[in-house]
Amino acid sequence: MGPGDEAGAVAASLAADTLFAQAGVVLPPDDPHEVFEHAERVLVAVADGAVLGLAVTLPLDGGVHLEQLAVHPDHGRRGVGSALLEAVCSGASAAGSPRVTLTTFRDLPWNGPWYAARGFAVLPPREWGPGLRDLWEQEEPIRVRPRVAMARPAG
């Protein structure tokens, strides 16, 4: 994330969260600043000086974990999320990480099914590392609908 992008990234993240409310998913309040503070990388998609979307990653169990992928709804369905996801996966590969993991809602169309269409598969709990297990427990407050962990080879 470059200088001056944080405010736009926060706005994009909060705007993207409104999609959950529109789908009837009630989540606890989210503070994007907290996510950014513990991130290893925050990638942003910018056009004409505006942040369109962001991807937040952190190291986890010897790989890269996609903590958050958000696209401002005004810029949705235009490939921004896919481009950010591919940047995360190629960056993970370049860094020598074997895979990218994430946790997501299993059934929301822009969550589990969207990632599955982009090469991610459900990761059974027996294949989780200790970091993913800890993260899963920390995410308990947002398990308001069925969630899954997913993974894809980096690259």
Side-chain angles (χ1 to χ4, degrees):
M1 183 162 47
D5 289 338
E6 187 167 349
V10 167
S13 177
L14 294 175
D17 285 351
T18 65
L19 295 175
F20 293 103
Q22 292 171 14
V25 178
V26 179
L27 294 171
D30 181 33
D31 181 358
H33 294 99
E34 291 177 8
V35 174
F36 300 159
E37 285 175 14
H38 75 268
E40 179 178 58
R41 289 181 70 197
V42 179
L43 303 173
V44 293
V46 178
D48 299 324
V51 175
L52 311 179
L54 63 140
V56 179
T57 64
L58 53 96
L60 191 71
D61 297 327
V64 171
H65 184 78
L66 179 61
E67 177 73 7
Q68 180 183 15
L69 178 68
V71 176
H72 193 292
D74 290 349
H75 304 286
R77 304 184 58 85
R78 297 181 190 156
V80 174
S82 293
L84 284 164
L85 184 61
E86 290 309 314
V88 166
C89 292
S90 63
S93 178
S97 295
R99 69 182 183 183
V100 175
T101 58
L102 58 88
T103 59
T104 192
F105 290 105
R106 182 186 70 202
D107 302 320
L108 290 176
W110 68 94
N111 277 204
W114 187 86
Y115 288 110
R118 284 150 184 84
F120 281 79
V122 172
L123 188 64
R126 69 181 176 278
E127 295 180 26
W128 296 3
L132 186 54
R133 288 184 196 288
D134 289 346
L135 182 66
W136 184 263
E137 290 306 313
Q138 292 169 23
E139 289 182 347
E140 191 276 329
I142 65 170
R143 287 199 305 264
V144 296
R145 290 181 66 149
R147 287 184 65 81
V148 293
M150 301 180 85
R152 169 180 145 175

